[in-house]
Amino acid sequence: MYSKTVNNGMITITGVPASPGIVFGKSYCYLKKIIKVDKLSILKNTIPQEIVRLEHAIERSEYELKKIISFAANQVGKTEIKIFEAQILILQDIILLEGIKSRIKNELTNAEAVIDSEFSKYQSIMLNAKDEYLRERAHEVEDIKNRIIRNIQQEKLTSRIDKNVIVVSEALTAGDTILFSRNKILGFATDGGGITSHSTLLARSLQLPAVVGLKDITKNINHGDLLIVDGYDGIVIVRPTDDLIKKYNQEKLRHFEFEDKLKTLRDQPAETLDKHKVILSSNIEFIDEVPVILKQGSQGIGLYRSEGVLISKYSIPTEEEQFIEYDKLAALIAPQKIVIRTFDVGGDKIFFDDIHEENPFLGWRGIRISLDMIDMFKNQLRAILRASSRKNVEIMFPMVSGFEEIIAAKKILSEVKQEFKNKNIQFDENIKIGTVIEVPSAALLAGDLARELDFLSIGTNDLLQFVLAVDRNNEKVSKLFNKFNPGLLRLISQVISQTKLQNKKIAMCGEMAGDPLATILLIGLGLEEFSVIPDILPEIKKIIRSITLAHAKKVAEHALSLLTSIEIQNYLKEELKRIIPDIPLSQ
Ligand code: PEP
Ligand code: MG
């Protein structure tokens, strides 16, 4: 959540923590040159020359991107390189290129103006998308546009910067990030950018601390100013005092020491000191995340956000396309399990159509859409069932608010199963099904829903905003958006106990499962599976392995008796610090 304070020349800005780590250093202000494109008329007899200018620029751009790839190949993984390969594919797109050439011929317009207009069209469609991931991709389209235009205008690329600096910029493209890393930069801080932007993903692979979404950092800094970038908490401090530098130095050291210790935990079970075992799995959205979670010692995938397959497509992928993706995932993670959540479109996520809703979070979302678009739903269920023959796939329905939705979804699933039996198609007949508990009415019905299902998984991200009536994107009420709200905790406790009364499995896939402050409490409440973001997995395991179930139960009991979020938070912080004194917690 953005905030800024100014104190005696020192400025502290909070943005979005994008890549973990703490660095100090001098700032390097990298303000992008605005590329100027004039629309000019050309003469008919200069068309061939204009086409040659265009073709040379495309060739040169491809050469530059290949150079970036060869450099990047030694620095980051295969996934990250795909960003640049995709840009090369755009350059090699014959239809696009022919379209541009015919516009040059037909409109008698200079190459850069046509490139500008053609690419800006795509860019603005993407910028207006409701989905953050697509909006972020617009910057990559801009990058390729600017690269071609710069090459048409024969401007030299200026990515050479000083060594050992923190780059401060309005926004960085993936290409910038890779090229800057050649100069051993220390980290970066940008006005714009989101957690899913390619430059952010690259920063994480390059292990460069980064904070994005700082809105106006470029306006608050001079070239060469001393900076602290805290990529854990998303804080950037401009012109820090000596005391602060000392404090952050200690913090940095603590993080190093702690992370070092965590490495040894990878192959240890997630069990308490008194041998109570829980499952520690991961939330993922893209197949490329699987190697990371395996490296972290994850016990399968507790939440696969299948919207991942929609992101790069402009239409809903076919059953076959979905099957290929789900099957690859199931094969990669086998023999461990993968819980595939059916499409949770709507709300703040992707939309199939450009529909406008007054309250999208309360609108046409998740299972509601699936039950209204039965063909699409059946296609997805078919794809999931086909991928289930290894018996390691489970299905989970999102945004369920009532019993009848579960009955309806189960009926559709059994129709698809029957169809498969009739056609002799292999699938796991006993495939487990569950639902995300993220709507208060479903939470209150947990016991009854559990009777109908194999498992429930608490989705605290949505549940929190609905239980508290707090829009998680509204800064004015952000201080109320606290997962340690006593009302929410009591509801979670009820969901866990009601599900267990039915002898069904209870998991949590919302962010609370990955909050170290909540671990002891959740163990004490009887949670059986924690599905978390891969980065935090070793830390949560460390906490689980440092406590006893008996003690965690006492902690949970006391926490549930407290009446304010702040008391609960302080109490849990004290408990955690007592058990693991060197654990680095956010301020
Ligand atoms: C949740 O709401 O807690 C959840 C896990 O789903 P998402 O964050 O995808 O809405
Ligand atoms: Mg949700």
mmCIF file of all heavy atoms in Angstrom, residues 142-163:
data_model
loop_
_atom_site.group_PDB
_atom_site.id
_atom_site.type_symbol
_atom_site.label_atom_id
_atom_site.label_comp_id
_atom_site.label_asym_id
_atom_site.label_seq_id
_atom_site.Cartn_x
_atom_site.Cartn_y
_atom_site.Cartn_z
ATOM 1 N N GLU A 142 5.268 -2.104 -25.736
ATOM 2 C CA GLU A 142 5.872 -0.780 -25.894
ATOM 3 C C GLU A 142 7.376 -0.910 -26.106
ATOM 4 O O GLU A 142 7.980 -0.219 -26.939
ATOM 5 C CB GLU A 142 5.598 0.072 -24.668
ATOM 6 C CG GLU A 142 6.153 1.469 -24.831
ATOM 7 C CD GLU A 142 5.900 2.362 -23.639
ATOM 8 O OE1 GLU A 142 5.532 1.852 -22.577
ATOM 9 O OE2 GLU A 142 6.079 3.578 -23.807
ATOM 10 N N ASP A 143 7.977 -1.838 -25.383
ATOM 11 C CA ASP A 143 9.406 -2.041 -25.482
ATOM 12 C C ASP A 143 9.803 -2.432 -26.909
ATOM 13 O O ASP A 143 10.745 -1.876 -27.482
ATOM 14 C CB ASP A 143 9.798 -3.153 -24.486
ATOM 15 C CG ASP A 143 11.305 -3.309 -24.368
ATOM 16 O OD1 ASP A 143 12.007 -2.296 -24.505
ATOM 17 O OD2 ASP A 143 11.779 -4.432 -24.142
ATOM 18 N N ILE A 144 9.058 -3.354 -27.468
ATOM 19 C CA ILE A 144 9.425 -3.823 -28.809
ATOM 20 C C ILE A 144 9.160 -2.709 -29.836
ATOM 21 O O ILE A 144 9.939 -2.487 -30.757
ATOM 22 C CB ILE A 144 8.723 -5.170 -29.155
ATOM 23 C CG1 ILE A 144 9.213 -5.723 -30.484
ATOM 24 C CG2 ILE A 144 7.261 -5.142 -29.214
ATOM 25 C CD1 ILE A 144 10.122 -6.862 -30.283
ATOM 26 N N LYS A 145 8.073 -1.972 -29.628
ATOM 27 C CA LYS A 145 7.772 -0.836 -30.524
ATOM 28 C C LYS A 145 8.931 0.169 -30.488
ATOM 29 O O LYS A 145 9.463 0.573 -31.527
ATOM 30 C CB LYS A 145 6.461 -0.162 -30.076
ATOM 31 C CG LYS A 145 6.114 1.095 -30.846
ATOM 32 C CD LYS A 145 4.865 1.752 -30.316
ATOM 33 C CE LYS A 145 5.189 2.688 -29.150
ATOM 34 N NZ LYS A 145 3.984 3.377 -28.653
ATOM 35 N N ASN A 146 9.327 0.534 -29.275
ATOM 36 C CA ASN A 146 10.399 1.524 -29.151
ATOM 37 C C ASN A 146 11.725 1.014 -29.724
ATOM 38 O O ASN A 146 12.502 1.772 -30.289
ATOM 39 C CB ASN A 146 10.602 1.918 -27.687
ATOM 40 C CG ASN A 146 9.441 2.748 -27.185
ATOM 41 O OD1 ASN A 146 8.661 3.268 -27.993
ATOM 42 N ND2 ASN A 146 9.297 2.872 -25.888
ATOM 43 N N ARG A 147 11.929 -0.296 -29.550
ATOM 44 C CA ARG A 147 13.173 -0.864 -30.078
ATOM 45 C C ARG A 147 13.202 -0.715 -31.606
ATOM 46 O O ARG A 147 14.203 -0.301 -32.191
ATOM 47 C CB ARG A 147 13.271 -2.343 -29.672
ATOM 48 C CG ARG A 147 14.603 -2.982 -29.994
ATOM 49 C CD ARG A 147 14.647 -4.424 -29.505
ATOM 50 N NE ARG A 147 14.532 -4.572 -28.054
ATOM 51 C CZ ARG A 147 15.513 -4.344 -27.203
ATOM 52 N NH1 ARG A 147 16.703 -3.974 -27.649
ATOM 53 N NH2 ARG A 147 15.334 -4.485 -25.914
ATOM 54 N N ILE A 148 12.082 -1.050 -32.260
ATOM 55 C CA ILE A 148 12.065 -0.955 -33.733
ATOM 56 C C ILE A 148 12.206 0.510 -34.166
ATOM 57 O O ILE A 148 13.009 0.839 -35.045
ATOM 58 C CB ILE A 148 10.764 -1.556 -34.334
ATOM 59 C CG1 ILE A 148 10.561 -2.998 -33.859
ATOM 60 C CG2 ILE A 148 10.793 -1.524 -35.863
ATOM 61 C CD1 ILE A 148 9.221 -3.606 -34.216
ATOM 62 N N ILE A 149 11.449 1.386 -33.507
ATOM 63 C CA ILE A 149 11.502 2.803 -33.916
ATOM 64 C C ILE A 149 12.915 3.362 -33.729
ATOM 65 O O ILE A 149 13.454 4.052 -34.582
ATOM 66 C CB ILE A 149 10.457 3.644 -33.136
ATOM 67 C CG1 ILE A 149 9.052 3.180 -33.525
ATOM 68 C CG2 ILE A 149 10.641 5.137 -33.406
ATOM 69 C CD1 ILE A 149 7.939 3.813 -32.746
ATOM 70 N N ARG A 150 13.522 3.018 -32.585
ATOM 71 C CA ARG A 150 14.884 3.501 -32.340
ATOM 72 C C ARG A 150 15.820 3.002 -33.439
ATOM 73 O O ARG A 150 16.679 3.737 -33.921
ATOM 74 C CB ARG A 150 15.356 3.008 -30.964
ATOM 75 C CG ARG A 150 16.749 3.431 -30.597
ATOM 76 C CD ARG A 150 17.142 3.049 -29.179
ATOM 77 N NE ARG A 150 16.772 1.714 -28.762
ATOM 78 C CZ ARG A 150 17.338 0.610 -29.225
ATOM 79 N NH1 ARG A 150 18.294 0.672 -30.128
ATOM 80 N NH2 ARG A 150 16.941 -0.575 -28.797
ATOM 81 N N ASN A 151 15.618 1.782 -33.853
ATOM 82 C CA ASN A 151 16.481 1.243 -34.906
ATOM 83 C C ASN A 151 16.173 1.845 -36.268
ATOM 84 O O ASN A 151 17.073 1.978 -37.101
ATOM 85 C CB ASN A 151 16.398 -0.283 -34.941
ATOM 86 C CG ASN A 151 17.259 -0.891 -33.840
ATOM 87 O OD1 ASN A 151 18.371 -0.413 -33.569
ATOM 88 N ND2 ASN A 151 16.757 -1.915 -33.175
ATOM 89 N N ILE A 152 14.917 2.215 -36.515
ATOM 90 C CA ILE A 152 14.614 2.893 -37.784
ATOM 91 C C ILE A 152 15.323 4.254 -37.776
ATOM 92 O O ILE A 152 15.926 4.678 -38.748
ATOM 93 C CB ILE A 152 13.086 3.105 -37.975
ATOM 94 C CG1 ILE A 152 12.367 1.760 -38.105
ATOM 95 C CG2 ILE A 152 12.810 3.967 -39.220
ATOM 96 C CD1 ILE A 152 10.858 1.848 -38.222
ATOM 97 N N GLN A 153 15.278 4.905 -36.608
ATOM 98 C CA GLN A 153 15.897 6.240 -36.513
ATOM 99 C C GLN A 153 17.412 6.136 -36.295
ATOM 100 O O GLN A 153 18.080 7.146 -36.105
ATOM 101 C CB GLN A 153 15.235 7.029 -35.381
ATOM 102 C CG GLN A 153 13.752 7.264 -35.651
ATOM 103 C CD GLN A 153 13.034 7.935 -34.479
ATOM 104 O OE1 GLN A 153 13.530 7.934 -33.343
ATOM 105 N NE2 GLN A 153 11.877 8.521 -34.750
ATOM 106 N N GLN A 154 17.893 4.903 -36.257
ATOM 107 C CA GLN A 154 19.315 4.600 -36.090
ATOM 108 C C GLN A 154 19.939 5.248 -34.865
ATOM 109 O O GLN A 154 21.064 5.738 -34.897
ATOM 110 C CB GLN A 154 20.081 4.984 -37.357
ATOM 111 C CG GLN A 154 19.528 4.258 -38.552
ATOM 112 C CD GLN A 154 20.485 4.230 -39.714
ATOM 113 O OE1 GLN A 154 21.380 5.055 -39.797
ATOM 114 N NE2 GLN A 154 20.298 3.280 -40.596
ATOM 115 N N GLU A 155 19.134 5.265 -33.780
ATOM 116 C CA GLU A 155 19.670 5.755 -32.508
ATOM 117 C C GLU A 155 20.381 4.605 -31.814
ATOM 118 O O GLU A 155 19.940 3.460 -31.878
ATOM 119 C CB GLU A 155 18.510 6.193 -31.609
ATOM 120 C CG GLU A 155 17.883 7.472 -32.055
ATOM 121 C CD GLU A 155 18.149 8.565 -31.059
ATOM 122 O OE1 GLU A 155 18.886 8.321 -30.105
ATOM 123 O OE2 GLU A 155 17.619 9.656 -31.280
ATOM 124 N N LYS A 156 21.457 4.922 -31.117
ATOM 125 C CA LYS A 156 22.195 3.851 -30.408
ATOM 126 C C LYS A 156 21.478 3.510 -29.095
ATOM 127 O O LYS A 156 20.864 4.368 -28.466
ATOM 128 C CB LYS A 156 23.620 4.334 -30.081
ATOM 129 C CG LYS A 156 24.529 4.240 -31.287
ATOM 130 C CD LYS A 156 25.319 2.931 -31.210
ATOM 131 C CE LYS A 156 26.135 2.629 -32.440
ATOM 132 N NZ LYS A 156 25.418 2.580 -33.692
ATOM 133 N N LEU A 157 21.585 2.248 -28.718
ATOM 134 C CA LEU A 157 21.006 1.809 -27.457
ATOM 135 C C LEU A 157 21.900 2.286 -26.309
ATOM 136 O O LEU A 157 23.106 2.099 -26.353
ATOM 137 C CB LEU A 157 20.973 0.271 -27.477
ATOM 138 C CG LEU A 157 20.302 -0.446 -26.325
ATOM 139 C CD1 LEU A 157 18.820 -0.126 -26.311
ATOM 140 C CD2 LEU A 157 20.499 -1.950 -26.467
ATOM 141 N N THR A 158 21.280 2.921 -25.321
ATOM 142 C CA THR A 158 22.118 3.397 -24.210
ATOM 143 C C THR A 158 21.732 2.683 -22.928
ATOM 144 O O THR A 158 20.926 3.157 -22.166
ATOM 145 C CB THR A 158 21.947 4.918 -23.980
ATOM 146 O OG1 THR A 158 20.534 5.139 -23.924
ATOM 147 C CG2 THR A 158 22.600 5.759 -25.013
ATOM 148 N N SER A 159 22.285 1.502 -22.760
ATOM 149 C CA SER A 159 21.969 0.797 -21.520
ATOM 150 C C SER A 159 23.196 0.735 -20.625
ATOM 151 O O SER A 159 23.186 0.069 -19.607
ATOM 152 C CB SER A 159 21.489 -0.617 -21.828
ATOM 153 O OG SER A 159 22.538 -1.338 -22.400
ATOM 154 N N ARG A 160 24.265 1.445 -21.031
ATOM 155 C CA ARG A 160 25.467 1.424 -20.200
ATOM 156 C C ARG A 160 25.260 2.390 -19.047
ATOM 157 O O ARG A 160 24.981 3.562 -19.256
ATOM 158 C CB ARG A 160 26.695 1.858 -21.007
ATOM 159 C CG ARG A 160 27.012 0.905 -22.117
ATOM 160 C CD ARG A 160 28.445 0.372 -21.971
ATOM 161 N NE ARG A 160 28.627 -0.764 -22.845
ATOM 162 C CZ ARG A 160 28.579 -2.028 -22.407
ATOM 163 N NH1 ARG A 160 28.376 -2.291 -21.139
ATOM 164 N NH2 ARG A 160 28.747 -3.019 -23.232
ATOM 165 N N ILE A 161 25.371 1.877 -17.857
ATOM 166 C CA ILE A 161 25.229 2.750 -16.702
ATOM 167 C C ILE A 161 26.352 2.453 -15.724
ATOM 168 O O ILE A 161 27.115 1.517 -15.927
ATOM 169 C CB ILE A 161 23.861 2.573 -16.010
ATOM 170 C CG1 ILE A 161 23.686 1.105 -15.564
ATOM 171 C CG2 ILE A 161 22.717 2.991 -16.897
ATOM 172 C CD1 ILE A 161 22.513 0.931 -14.639
ATOM 173 N N ASP A 162 26.410 3.276 -14.660
ATOM 174 C CA ASP A 162 27.472 3.051 -13.674
ATOM 175 C C ASP A 162 27.295 1.689 -13.003
ATOM 176 O O ASP A 162 26.195 1.160 -12.950
ATOM 177 C CB ASP A 162 27.409 4.122 -12.574
ATOM 178 C CG ASP A 162 27.605 5.492 -13.163
ATOM 179 O OD1 ASP A 162 28.045 5.576 -14.331
ATOM 180 O OD2 ASP A 162 27.299 6.482 -12.460
ATOM 181 N N LYS A 163 28.414 1.206 -12.460
ATOM 182 C CA LYS A 163 28.338 -0.074 -11.731
ATOM 183 C C LYS A 163 27.886 0.173 -10.288
ATOM 184 O O LYS A 163 28.000 1.287 -9.775
ATOM 185 C CB LYS A 163 29.730 -0.709 -11.704
ATOM 186 C CG LYS A 163 30.087 -1.417 -12.983
ATOM 187 C CD LYS A 163 31.258 -2.367 -12.717
ATOM 188 C CE LYS A 163 31.499 -3.366 -13.806
ATOM 189 N NZ LYS A 163 31.641 -2.879 -15.142
#
